[in-house]
Amino acid sequence: MINWLRIALFALVLALVSLVLMPIQIVCLWLNLRLRRLLPRYWHRMACYLLGIKVRVHGMPGRRRPLLLCSNHASWKDILVLSSVADVVFVAKSEVKEWPVFGPLARLQASIFVVREQKRATGKQVSEIGQRLADGEIVVLFPEGTTSDGNRLLEIKTSLFGAAASAVPHSPTGMVHVQPVAISYTGIHGMPMGRFNRPIAAWPGDTGLVPHLLGILREGAIEVDVDFGEAIDYDHHTNRKEVSRVIEQRIRSMLSDRLRGRASDRQRRGRTAGEKTSNPARFALKNRHDPGNSSSDDARNG
């Protein structure tokens, strides 16, 4: 009985908040006001609070623009968590538009929708992402392409990293900053969350959305850690595949350390890893003599 009362209270409060903020957000989107980037953060913070999701942040998004965040993806809750931390927009598959509740919310957040099956549209979609980056928006990419079980990082798909290349010509510095992010579901009811309990937080995709949402509401006490890693400078000399490889390594390392309780001293002290940017040459990202180096090739190949 208590669980159902809690669920009803969650729905009522979130509906009231939405009714107040949604008309304002629609006007802000129409007039392209800066407030359109701020309102979603407050809505998502409220949603996390009502759901009982406690977010701990380690590091911060880099301050330099354009900025592309690349994160692992375990659940629809990743959207709530990242949006409660920073003013971001997401790259989402086109089907999300038609989802109940989440579809309208994604449109109100000005998400970038892509059709993965249509190869002909890839160049146009990558260009849109690049333009949004060049306009100063923080774009979030889930390069796994699907949700995992929360215990591991799936293989990263390199195609949409071409968005970084397409934004390079529009950047005042001729450079885009690509930053890895790890979202780790680590606690439940004040206790460490092991592999057995992690499916409560993760949403691999074969579970219905409504039953999963109800399960989260019944639990009501989930802890998640967000680690912002060291960014990579991406310019017209950079090799897209090398960037994806390094980003994958960094996400995998942060996720593994956090889930195993082995976060580094730097992470525990909360130092701003996002403000430090690596030298691309250090990782052999520059001056590679293959056709994938140029930004125009990246943009065409997606």
Side-chain angles (χ1 to χ4, degrees):
M1 183 66 179
I2 293 176
N3 280 335
W4 285 110
L5 286 175
R6 183 176 178 279
I7 291 171
L9 181 62
F10 164 81
L12 177 61
V13 174
L14 198 61
L16 291 174
V17 172
S18 299
L19 286 174
V20 172
L21 294 183
M22 286 175 68
I24 302 174
Q25 180 69 357
I26 291 171
V27 173
C28 291
L29 286 170
W30 182 49
L31 298 177
N32 196 28
L33 301 178
R34 184 176 180 274
L35 189 59
R36 70 181 177 84
R37 299 181 184 178
L38 301 177
L39 287 180
R41 193 194 327 172
Y42 296 111
W43 187 93
H44 286 95
R45 283 183 179 177
M46 175 64 71
C48 285
Y49 176 78
L50 294 173
L51 281 169
I53 299 174
K54 180 180 179 180
V55 182
R56 294 185 290 255
V57 182
H58 311 273
M60 63 183 291
R63 294 183 178 178
R64 294 183 293 174
R65 301 292 181 270
L67 179 64
L68 176 67
L69 300 181
C70 298
S71 172
N72 64 305
H73 194 22
S75 170
W76 51 267
K77 294 182 293 300
D78 301 339
I79 308 292
L80 302 182
V81 169
L82 282 178
S83 293
S84 72
V85 171
D87 304 325
V88 296
V89 296
F90 294 88
V91 178
K93 56 185 180 181
S94 58
E95 302 94 283
V96 174
K97 280 185 178 181
E98 311 304 323
W99 288 6
V101 182
F102 291 98
L105 290 175
R107 290 194 292 271
L108 284 170
Q109 199 169 353
S111 297
I112 305 166
F113 298 101
V114 297
V115 184
R116 292 172 183 161
E117 295 78 13
Q118 296 182 7
K119 299 297 183 182
R120 295 180 180 178
T122 300
K124 181 179 179 181
Q125 292 168 168
V126 166
S127 296
E128 180 183 356
I129 299 171
Q131 187 58 55
R132 297 284 286 275
L133 283 167
D135 289 342
E137 297 192 56
I138 302 176
V139 176
V140 177
L141 176 67
F142 296 119
E144 291 167 287
T146 186
T147 52
S148 71
D149 60 5
N151 291 309
R152 60 198 173 101
L153 179 70
L154 303 178
E155 182 181 356
I156 279 183
K157 295 175 173 59
T158 65
S159 59
L160 288 178
F161 277 91
S166 68
V168 167
H170 305 285
S171 172
T173 61
M175 188 176 296
V176 175
H177 310 286
V178 184
Q179 185 174 14
V181 181
I183 303 174
S184 312
Y185 293 90
T186 53
I188 182 167
H189 297 297
M191 300 292 291
M193 182 185 292
R195 295 177 67 90
F196 178 78
N197 289 322
R198 199 156 287 118
I200 296 173
W203 186 47
D206 54 356
T207 304
L209 177 60
V210 174
H212 185 70
L213 175 59
L214 292 176
I216 294 298
L217 285 166
R218 291 190 187 101
E219 292 297 335
I222 290 177
E223 298 169 17
V224 55
D225 289 89
V226 181
D227 288 273
F228 289 93
E230 190 175 352
I232 293 173
D233 293 341
Y234 194 121
D235 62 21
H236 69 281
H237 294 298
T238 305
N239 182 285
R240 172 167 53 88
K241 292 183 179 179
E242 290 289 341
V243 168
S244 67
R245 180 182 62 81
V246 176
I247 291 294
E248 180 174 1
Q249 290 174 348
R250 293 183 180 179
I251 296 175
R252 194 182 305 278
S253 176
M254 290 189 294
L255 179 64
S256 176
D257 285 350
R258 188 62 64 184
L259 293 181
R260 297 179 183 181
R262 300 188 313 189
S264 66
D265 290 338
R266 182 179 67 180
Q267 289 172 316
R268 285 197 294 269
R269 290 195 299 268
R271 287 178 56 185
T272 312
E275 290 304 293
K276 297 174 65 178
T277 305
S278 65
N279 180 355
R282 178 183 172 191
F283 297 96
L285 301 181
K286 283 180 173 283
N287 301 322
R288 310 282 289 201
H289 297 289
D290 70 67
N293 280 356
S294 69
S295 60
S296 59
D297 283 342
D298 278 355
R300 284 197 301 270
N301 295 334

